Amino acid sequence: MTPLAGKVALVTGASRGIGKGIALALGAAGATVYLTGRTESAAEATVPLPGTIHETAALVHETGGQGIALRCDHADDRQVQQVIERIAAEQGRLDILVNNAWSGYQRKQQSRTSGFHTPFWKSPPEFWDTMHTVGVRSHYVASVYGARLMVAQGHGLIVHVSAPAGGGYSENVAYGVSKASVDRMAADMAHELQETGVAVVSLWPGIVATEMIMARRKDQRLQPYMESPVYVGRAVVGLALDADLMAKSGQILVTRDLGAEYGFQDINGHQPSLEKGVWRPAH
Protein backbone atom coordinates (compact mmCIF):
# COMPACT_ATOMS: atom_id res chain seq x y z
CA MET A 1 0.00 0.00 0.00
CA THR A 2 1.27 3.45 -0.90
CA PRO A 3 -1.16 5.90 0.69
CA LEU A 4 1.31 8.80 0.38
CA ALA A 5 2.02 8.26 -3.32
CA GLY A 6 2.33 11.65 -4.99
CA LYS A 7 3.17 13.41 -1.72
CA VAL A 8 6.46 15.21 -1.18
CA ALA A 9 8.24 15.25 2.18
CA LEU A 10 11.37 16.82 3.60
CA VAL A 11 13.06 15.20 6.60
CA THR A 12 15.97 17.13 8.08
CA GLY A 13 18.83 15.38 9.86
CA ALA A 14 18.23 12.00 8.23
CA SER A 15 21.71 10.45 8.01
CA ARG A 16 20.86 8.23 10.96
CA GLY A 17 18.65 7.91 14.04
CA ILE A 18 15.10 9.20 14.20
CA GLY A 19 15.39 11.18 10.98
CA LYS A 20 16.45 8.09 9.07
CA GLY A 21 13.56 6.09 10.52
CA ILE A 22 11.05 8.78 9.57
CA ALA A 23 12.41 8.93 6.01
CA LEU A 24 12.09 5.15 5.66
CA ALA A 25 8.52 5.09 6.96
CA LEU A 26 7.47 7.89 4.60
CA GLY A 27 9.15 6.09 1.70
CA ALA A 28 7.39 2.85 2.56
CA ALA A 29 4.11 4.77 2.35
CA GLY A 30 5.00 5.86 -1.18
CA ALA A 31 6.20 9.43 -0.62
CA THR A 32 8.98 11.23 -2.42
CA VAL A 33 11.35 11.99 0.43
CA TYR A 34 13.98 14.69 0.34
CA LEU A 35 16.38 14.18 3.21
CA THR A 36 19.14 16.37 4.51
CA GLY A 37 22.24 16.03 6.61
CA ARG A 38 25.94 16.83 6.51
CA THR A 39 27.33 13.31 6.26
CA GLU A 40 27.88 12.16 2.68
CA SER A 41 30.58 9.59 3.43
CA ALA A 42 31.86 7.73 6.45
CA ALA A 43 35.17 9.59 6.18
CA GLU A 44 33.55 12.96 6.86
CA ALA A 45 31.24 11.89 9.68
CA THR A 46 31.40 14.27 12.66
CA VAL A 47 30.25 11.55 15.07
CA PRO A 48 31.56 7.98 15.50
CA LEU A 49 28.34 6.42 14.23
CA PRO A 50 27.32 4.82 10.93
CA GLY A 51 25.02 6.45 8.41
CA THR A 52 25.06 8.91 5.50
CA ILE A 53 22.33 10.79 3.65
CA HIS A 54 23.03 8.74 0.51
CA GLU A 55 22.68 5.46 2.38
CA THR A 56 19.35 6.61 3.77
CA ALA A 57 18.16 7.69 0.31
CA ALA A 58 19.05 4.26 -1.09
CA LEU A 59 17.09 2.57 1.69
CA VAL A 60 14.09 4.81 0.97
CA HIS A 61 14.20 3.53 -2.62
CA GLU A 62 14.24 -0.04 -1.33
CA THR A 63 11.06 0.59 0.65
CA GLY A 64 9.25 1.67 -2.53
CA GLY A 65 9.53 5.42 -2.17
CA GLN A 66 11.85 7.89 -3.84
CA GLY A 67 14.74 9.13 -1.73
CA ILE A 68 16.62 12.30 -2.67
CA ALA A 69 19.64 13.19 -0.54
CA LEU A 70 20.67 16.83 -0.23
CA ARG A 71 23.68 17.93 1.76
CA CYS A 72 22.71 20.74 4.09
CA ASP A 73 24.28 22.32 7.14
CA HIS A 74 21.23 23.49 9.07
CA ALA A 75 23.33 26.06 10.90
CA ASP A 76 23.45 27.95 7.59
CA ASP A 77 20.12 29.66 6.83
CA ARG A 78 20.95 30.08 3.16
CA GLN A 79 21.56 26.36 2.70
CA VAL A 80 18.19 25.62 4.28
CA GLN A 81 16.50 28.11 1.96
CA GLN A 82 18.19 26.51 -1.04
CA VAL A 83 16.84 23.08 -0.08
CA ILE A 84 13.26 24.38 -0.03
CA GLU A 85 13.81 26.28 -3.28
CA ARG A 86 15.07 23.12 -4.97
CA ILE A 87 12.03 21.15 -3.80
CA ALA A 88 9.75 23.90 -5.11
CA ALA A 89 11.53 23.90 -8.48
CA GLU A 90 11.56 20.12 -8.87
CA GLN A 91 8.20 19.19 -7.33
CA GLY A 92 6.14 22.37 -7.12
CA ARG A 93 4.85 21.32 -3.71
CA LEU A 94 5.77 20.28 -0.17
CA ASP A 95 3.26 18.25 1.79
CA ILE A 96 5.24 17.21 4.87
CA LEU A 97 8.13 18.91 6.65
CA VAL A 98 9.77 17.03 9.51
CA ASN A 99 12.17 19.22 11.50
CA ASN A 100 14.49 16.70 13.09
CA ALA A 101 18.01 18.13 12.59
CA TRP A 102 19.70 18.67 15.94
CA SER A 103 23.35 18.90 16.95
CA GLY A 104 22.90 18.71 20.71
CA TYR A 105 24.13 15.15 21.11
CA GLN A 106 27.28 15.54 19.03
CA ARG A 107 29.49 16.45 21.98
CA LYS A 108 28.03 13.54 23.92
CA GLN A 109 28.86 11.18 21.06
CA GLN A 110 32.36 12.53 20.61
CA SER A 111 33.51 12.47 24.22
CA ARG A 112 32.54 10.97 27.57
CA THR A 113 33.55 14.25 29.13
CA SER A 114 31.19 16.27 26.95
CA GLY A 115 29.76 18.25 29.86
CA PHE A 116 26.27 17.03 29.08
CA HIS A 117 25.55 16.47 32.77
CA THR A 118 27.51 19.45 34.05
CA PRO A 119 25.57 22.16 35.94
CA PHE A 120 25.01 25.23 33.81
CA TRP A 121 27.22 27.51 35.90
CA LYS A 122 30.15 25.16 35.35
CA SER A 123 29.64 24.99 31.59
CA PRO A 124 30.88 27.48 28.99
CA PRO A 125 28.06 29.70 27.69
CA GLU A 126 28.70 28.33 24.19
CA PHE A 127 27.20 25.01 25.30
CA TRP A 128 23.81 26.70 24.86
CA ASP A 129 24.45 27.10 21.13
CA THR A 130 24.94 23.35 20.61
CA MET A 131 21.29 22.88 21.61
CA HIS A 132 19.70 25.92 20.01
CA THR A 133 21.38 26.76 16.70
CA VAL A 134 20.56 23.44 15.05
CA GLY A 135 17.41 22.22 16.74
CA VAL A 136 15.52 25.41 17.55
CA ARG A 137 16.59 28.13 15.13
CA SER A 138 16.98 25.62 12.28
CA HIS A 139 13.42 24.34 12.87
CA TYR A 140 12.16 27.91 12.67
CA VAL A 141 14.07 28.69 9.49
CA ALA A 142 12.99 25.54 7.65
CA SER A 143 9.40 26.19 8.71
CA VAL A 144 9.51 29.76 7.40
CA TYR A 145 10.39 28.62 3.90
CA GLY A 146 8.38 25.40 4.01
CA ALA A 147 5.23 27.13 5.24
CA ARG A 148 5.34 29.53 2.31
CA LEU A 149 4.89 26.60 -0.08
CA MET A 150 2.24 24.96 2.09
CA VAL A 151 0.15 28.07 2.62
CA ALA A 152 0.16 28.73 -1.12
CA GLN A 153 -1.13 25.22 -1.83
CA GLY A 154 -3.64 25.32 1.02
CA HIS A 155 -2.46 22.29 3.02
CA GLY A 156 0.53 20.76 4.73
CA LEU A 157 1.98 19.18 7.86
CA ILE A 158 4.95 20.45 9.84
CA VAL A 159 6.31 18.13 12.53
CA HIS A 160 8.86 19.31 15.09
CA VAL A 161 10.63 16.32 16.63
CA SER A 162 10.96 17.23 20.30
CA ALA A 163 11.36 15.32 23.58
CA PRO A 164 9.83 15.04 27.06
CA ALA A 165 12.66 17.26 28.33
CA GLY A 166 10.41 20.11 27.23
CA GLY A 167 8.03 19.22 30.04
CA GLY A 168 10.47 18.67 32.91
CA TYR A 169 14.14 18.61 33.85
CA SER A 170 16.36 16.20 31.93
CA GLU A 171 20.12 16.11 31.32
CA ASN A 172 20.91 19.85 31.49
CA VAL A 173 19.36 23.32 31.39
CA ALA A 174 20.14 24.12 27.75
CA TYR A 175 18.68 20.80 26.58
CA GLY A 176 15.40 21.24 28.42
CA VAL A 177 14.95 24.84 27.32
CA SER A 178 15.61 23.89 23.69
CA LYS A 179 12.88 21.25 23.74
CA ALA A 180 10.43 23.54 25.54
CA SER A 181 11.15 26.13 22.86
CA VAL A 182 10.34 23.65 20.11
CA ASP A 183 7.06 22.72 21.79
CA ARG A 184 6.07 26.37 22.15
CA MET A 185 7.11 27.04 18.56
CA ALA A 186 4.69 24.39 17.33
CA ALA A 187 1.84 25.89 19.35
CA ASP A 188 2.48 29.44 18.18
CA MET A 189 3.02 28.47 14.55
CA ALA A 190 -0.24 26.53 14.65
CA HIS A 191 -2.01 29.61 15.97
CA GLU A 192 -0.82 31.73 13.07
CA LEU A 193 -1.55 28.97 10.51
CA GLN A 194 -4.96 27.92 11.83
CA GLU A 195 -6.90 29.33 8.85
CA THR A 196 -4.50 28.08 6.17
CA GLY A 197 -4.95 24.29 6.19
CA VAL A 198 -1.39 23.80 7.45
CA ALA A 199 -1.01 21.85 10.69
CA VAL A 200 1.98 22.05 13.05
CA VAL A 201 2.63 19.58 15.86
CA SER A 202 5.41 18.75 18.30
CA LEU A 203 6.19 15.03 18.49
CA TRP A 204 7.56 13.30 21.58
CA PRO A 205 9.09 9.84 21.00
CA GLY A 206 9.82 7.64 23.97
CA ILE A 207 13.16 5.84 24.35
CA VAL A 208 14.26 5.27 20.77
CA ALA A 209 16.73 2.58 19.71
CA THR A 210 18.98 4.90 17.71
CA GLU A 211 22.52 4.00 16.70
CA MET A 212 23.83 6.03 19.63
CA ILE A 213 21.64 4.26 22.18
CA MET A 214 22.26 0.78 20.80
CA ALA A 215 26.04 1.28 20.52
CA ARG A 216 26.15 1.43 24.31
CA ARG A 217 24.16 -1.78 24.84
CA LYS A 218 25.41 -5.35 24.82
CA ASP A 219 21.89 -6.58 24.07
CA GLN A 220 21.01 -5.32 20.59
CA ARG A 221 17.42 -6.54 20.74
CA LEU A 222 14.55 -4.05 20.80
CA GLN A 223 13.34 -4.04 24.41
CA PRO A 224 9.62 -3.76 25.33
CA TYR A 225 10.10 -0.22 26.62
CA MET A 226 11.91 0.97 23.47
CA GLU A 227 10.70 2.05 20.05
CA SER A 228 12.59 1.94 16.78
CA PRO A 229 13.22 5.04 14.65
CA VAL A 230 10.80 3.58 12.08
CA TYR A 231 8.06 3.57 14.72
CA VAL A 232 8.48 7.32 15.07
CA GLY A 233 8.21 7.53 11.29
CA ARG A 234 4.98 5.56 11.30
CA ALA A 235 3.56 8.12 13.71
CA VAL A 236 4.37 10.82 11.13
CA VAL A 237 2.71 8.76 8.39
CA GLY A 238 -0.38 8.37 10.57
CA LEU A 239 -0.56 12.11 11.08
CA ALA A 240 -0.16 12.78 7.35
CA LEU A 241 -3.12 10.48 6.65
CA ASP A 242 -5.36 11.83 9.42
CA ALA A 243 -8.46 13.39 7.84
CA ASP A 244 -8.98 15.43 11.01
CA LEU A 245 -5.37 16.55 11.29
CA MET A 246 -6.12 20.22 11.91
CA ALA A 247 -7.80 19.26 15.20
CA LYS A 248 -4.35 18.18 16.45
CA SER A 249 -2.51 21.27 15.25
CA GLY A 250 -0.58 23.02 18.00
CA GLN A 251 -0.48 19.99 20.27
CA ILE A 252 2.34 17.97 21.79
CA LEU A 253 1.75 14.39 20.62
CA VAL A 254 3.32 11.18 21.95
CA THR A 255 4.33 8.53 19.41
CA ARG A 256 2.91 5.59 21.40
CA ASP A 257 -0.41 7.32 21.89
CA LEU A 258 -0.58 7.78 18.14
CA GLY A 259 0.27 4.10 17.68
CA ALA A 260 -2.73 3.17 19.81
CA GLU A 261 -4.96 5.68 18.01
CA TYR A 262 -3.92 4.86 14.45
CA GLY A 263 -3.29 1.14 15.00
CA PHE A 264 0.28 0.85 13.69
CA GLN A 265 2.99 -1.39 15.14
CA ASP A 266 6.73 -1.20 15.38
CA ILE A 267 9.10 -3.35 13.31
CA ASN A 268 8.57 -7.11 13.52
CA GLY A 269 5.17 -6.56 15.10
CA HIS A 270 6.71 -5.06 18.22
CA GLN A 271 4.39 -2.79 20.18
CA PRO A 272 6.21 -0.53 22.66
CA SER A 273 4.76 -0.39 26.15
CA LEU A 274 2.29 2.44 26.64
CA GLU A 275 3.56 2.97 30.17
CA LYS A 276 7.24 2.20 30.72
CA GLY A 277 9.71 4.39 28.85
CA VAL A 278 7.15 6.97 27.76
CA TRP A 279 6.24 10.42 29.01
CA ARG A 280 3.25 12.59 28.31
CA PRO A 281 2.83 16.35 28.42
CA ALA A 282 1.15 17.82 31.45
CA HIS A 283 -2.19 19.46 30.79
Side-chain angles (χ1 to χ4, degrees), residues 10 17 19 21 37 52-53 63 65 70 72 78 98 101 104 110 119 124 126-127 129 139 161-162 166-167 230 261:
L10 168 60
T52 72
I53 53 174
T63 69
L70 300 178
C72 179
R78 179 56 183 157
V98 181
Q110 293 166 345
E126 294 78 13
F127 184 75
D129 299 327
H139 287 17
V161 177
S162 184
V230 170
E261 178 180 353

Side-chain angles (χ1 to χ4, degrees), residues 75-140:
D76 185 333
D77 294 354
R78 179 56 183 157
Q79 289 188 38
V80 177
Q81 182 180 4
Q82 289 172 338
V83 166
I84 303 293
E85 289 175 346
R86 176 168 169 177
I87 294 171
E90 294 180 354
Q91 306 294 335
R93 64 187 296 160
L94 178 62
D95 302 286
I96 304 160
L97 167 61
V98 181
N99 286 311
N100 171 72
W102 190 59
S103 61
Y105 276 134
Q106 287 186 3
R107 287 180 60 179
K108 192 172 186 180
Q109 294 164 340
Q110 293 166 345
S111 171
R112 292 186 177 181
T113 58
S114 63
F116 214 76
H117 296 280
T118 303
F120 75 91
W121 69 90
K122 297 182 180 180
S123 301
E126 294 78 13
F127 184 75
W128 174 274
D129 299 327
T130 68
M131 307 288 165
H132 287 75
T133 302
V134 178
V136 181
R137 179 180 172 81
S138 64
H139 287 17
Y140 181 82

Side-chain angles (χ1 to χ4, degrees), residues 45-249:
T46 58
V47 294
L49 294 171
T52 72
I53 53 174
H54 299 294
E55 289 170 357
T56 300
L59 290 172
V60 170
H61 279 288
E62 290 181 13
T63 69
Q66 181 180 8
I68 303 171
L70 300 178
R71 190 186 189 284
C72 179
D73 181 349
H74 282 269
D76 185 333
D77 294 354
R78 179 56 183 157
Q79 289 188 38
V80 177
Q81 182 180 4
Q82 289 172 338
V83 166
I84 303 293
E85 289 175 346
R86 176 168 169 177
I87 294 171
E90 294 180 354
Q91 306 294 335
R93 64 187 296 160
L94 178 62
D95 302 286
I96 304 160
L97 167 61
V98 181
N99 286 311
N100 171 72
W102 190 59
S103 61
Y105 276 134
Q106 287 186 3
R107 287 180 60 179
K108 192 172 186 180
Q109 294 164 340
Q110 293 166 345
S111 171
R112 292 186 177 181
T113 58
S114 63
F116 214 76
H117 296 280
T118 303
F120 75 91
W121 69 90
K122 297 182 180 180
S123 301
E126 294 78 13
F127 184 75
W128 174 274
D129 299 327
T130 68
M131 307 288 165
H132 287 75
T133 302
V134 178
V136 181
R137 179 180 172 81
S138 64
H139 287 17
Y140 181 82
V141 173
S143 297
V144 166
Y145 296 114
R148 292 177 184 177
L149 275 180
M150 294 178 175
V151 169
Q153 67 197 17
H155 66 85
L157 167 63
I158 299 174
V159 177
H160 298 325
V161 177
S162 184
Y169 183 83
S170 176
E171 311 264 19
N172 60 73
V173 172
Y175 175 60
V177 174
S178 73
K179 297 308 180 184
S181 298
V182 167
D183 296 339
R184 179 58 185 267
M185 190 191 312
D188 287 1
M189 286 182 173
H191 178 80
E192 294 189 357
L193 290 166
Q194 59 186 333
E195 303 299 330
T196 68
V198 179
V200 189
V201 301
S202 189
L203 186 62
W204 284 9
I207 299 175
V208 184
T210 63
E211 293 89 345
M212 182 185 75
I213 294 294
M214 300 308 285
R216 300 177 178 184
R217 297 179 61 87
K218 293 181 179 180
D219 188 344
Q220 294 294 299
R221 293 174 297 178
L222 198 61
Q223 300 300 313
Y225 58 88
M226 303 175 81
E227 55 194 71
S228 75
V230 170
Y231 186 80
V232 184
R234 289 174 179 171
V236 174
V237 171
L239 287 167
L241 295 173
D242 191 332
D244 197 27
L245 175 62
M246 290 304 295
K248 289 184 170 65
S249 191

